[in-house]
Amino acid sequence: MTKSRGFTEAGVPDQSGKCFIVTGANTGIGFEAAHVLAARGARVLLACRDRGKAEAAMARIRTAIPRADLAFLPLDLGDLDSIRHAAGLATAEPRIDALVNNAGVMTPPLMRTKQGFELQFGVNHLGTFALTALLLPKLAETHGARIVTTSSLAHRGAQIDWGDLNAERSYSRVGRYAASKLANALFFYELDRRLRASGSAILSVGCHPGVASTDLARHMWPVQVLVRITGMVLNNAAMGAWPTLQAATGPVQPGGYYGPIGFRGTRGVSGEAARSDEAQDPVLAKRLWDASVAMTGIDPGLMPAP
């Protein structure tokens, strides 16, 4: 792959014999990634809240790929009990080659997870953190397994309100979304540092889709209109999945970050992406890690990197 050409779904190699978990795979970028992975011969576990929607997505994939190896993995990232159950089911798989942390919510009204966390931080980061932590032992069984965490252009300029992580005092839909995406970036960065320090062969990488036409922004009708209008020149969901596919199957560096390389990272083929200084701050990353362990009660068991 060269920077001028970039990475697309055409660069996804044969995945026969491999198994991928894709969260939020019933729609949008998760669906497109699951579709391509299945087409390349992988077994794909569609980790979703709604069985009906997951089964409909699997039916769509099988229309194009009759022999697709697909399974539904019940998962609600807003419920730690559901996450523990999903991790237990996934551990029964013979192998897991990659966990693709794709699912998320964007700018809803103030809502809370089952355990009472602010929904965007709770689902986008804490749920991802917990699922990843619980699956680390299983992933370690497969040499070179990958953990892909999806951030966003919105992480740039974001600030985490450390004194009000649960939005008890104030709530901004856009601000909390951006903070959750900064948390995603800090998480995959810190996870990479700790995995490498421990000598693990697991790769932690990040990605972002640029600006893609999906239903993620359903709580922001002006954004929906803008994305539909600009969809002809920006990325559709299939194109928005290219960075996810690169992170999951393509050429990557440990701790690398991948996204569209056209027009300020909003569109086009995938390649190395830029991230903010805050997203690579080891002090902030450790602070987030410690807070995540305390809030979820789930410890990945990885010592801090020196």
Side-chain angles (χ1 to χ4, degrees):
M1 182 195 77
T2 64
K3 186 172 182 180
S4 60
R5 293 184 178 180
F7 189 94
T8 71
E9 67 179 81
V12 178
D14 181 77
Q15 300 297 309
S16 297
K18 295 185 177 182
C19 178
F20 293 77
I21 298 174
V22 182
T23 67
N26 61 285
T27 188
I29 288 166
F31 172 82
E32 299 295 343
H35 191 175
V36 173
L37 292 169
R40 297 297 189 275
R43 173 170 171 77
V44 184
L45 306 185
L46 287 77
C48 311
R49 285 186 302 165
D50 190 297
R51 176 181 289 273
K53 291 180 179 179
E55 290 178 344
M58 290 189 286
R60 289 172 58 198
I61 294 173
R62 288 193 175 111
T63 297
I65 312 160
R67 296 186 179 180
D69 187 358
L70 307 169
F72 168 56
L73 180 65
L75 171 68
D76 180 353
L77 287 172
D79 180 358
L80 292 175
D81 293 331
S82 173
I83 293 169
R84 290 188 180 93
H85 180 65
L89 293 175
T91 299
E93 291 288 320
R95 61 185 289 160
I96 299 174
D97 293 83
L99 168 62
V100 180
N101 290 311
N102 162 80
V105 294
M106 182 179 182
T107 64
L110 178 59
M111 300 169 67
R112 301 201 177 274
T113 69
K114 184 177 180 181
Q115 282 74 33
F117 306 127
E118 184 274 312
L119 190 69
Q120 295 189 90
F121 188 73
V123 168
N124 296 357
H125 169 63
L126 292 176
T128 291
F129 176 89
L131 180 64
T132 301
L134 293 168
L135 287 176
L136 277 175
K138 183 64 182 183
L139 286 158
E141 296 174 7
T142 302
H143 184 81
R146 299 187 187 190
I147 298 166
V148 178
T149 303
T150 305
S151 184
S152 166
L153 289 170
H155 89 272
R156 300 178 187 175
Q159 293 185 338
I160 296 174
D161 188 344
W162 297 102
D164 190 25
L165 289 176
N166 244 358
E168 301 288 350
R169 293 193 293 272
S170 65
Y171 181 71
S172 160
R173 296 187 186 196
V174 174
R176 292 283 172 169
Y177 174 72
S180 75
K181 294 289 102 179
L182 174 56
N184 288 147
L186 285 167
F187 172 54
F188 84 76
Y189 167 76
E190 181 68 6
L191 180 60
D192 167 67
R193 295 176 72 240
R194 292 183 183 232
L195 287 170
R196 286 201 276 170
S198 71
S200 173
I202 299 173
L203 295 179
S204 171
V205 294
C207 64
H208 77 87
V211 179
S213 180
T214 73
D215 66 355
L216 182 61
R218 56 187 173 274
H219 295 290
M220 294 183 68
W221 68 263
V223 173
Q224 288 182 302
V225 173
L226 177 62
V227 168
R228 288 192 178 100
I229 292 173
T230 59
M232 291 181 291
V233 293
L234 296 177
N235 281 351
N236 57 32
M239 297 164 68
W242 291 344
T244 300
L245 291 167
Q246 179 175 6
T249 71
V252 297
Q253 294 295 322
Y257 186 46
Y258 302 90
I261 59 177
F263 191 59
R264 300 184 178 181
T266 62
R267 68 186 185 197
V269 298
S270 179
E272 294 183 5
R275 50 188 143 156
S276 68
D277 291 340
E278 288 80 6
Q280 304 169 83
D281 184 325
V283 175
L284 290 181
K286 183 180 183 301
R287 185 176 186 179
L288 177 67
W289 187 281
D290 292 343
S292 303
V293 172
M295 294 175 78
T296 64
I298 298 172
D299 190 339
L302 294 171
M303 297 297 293

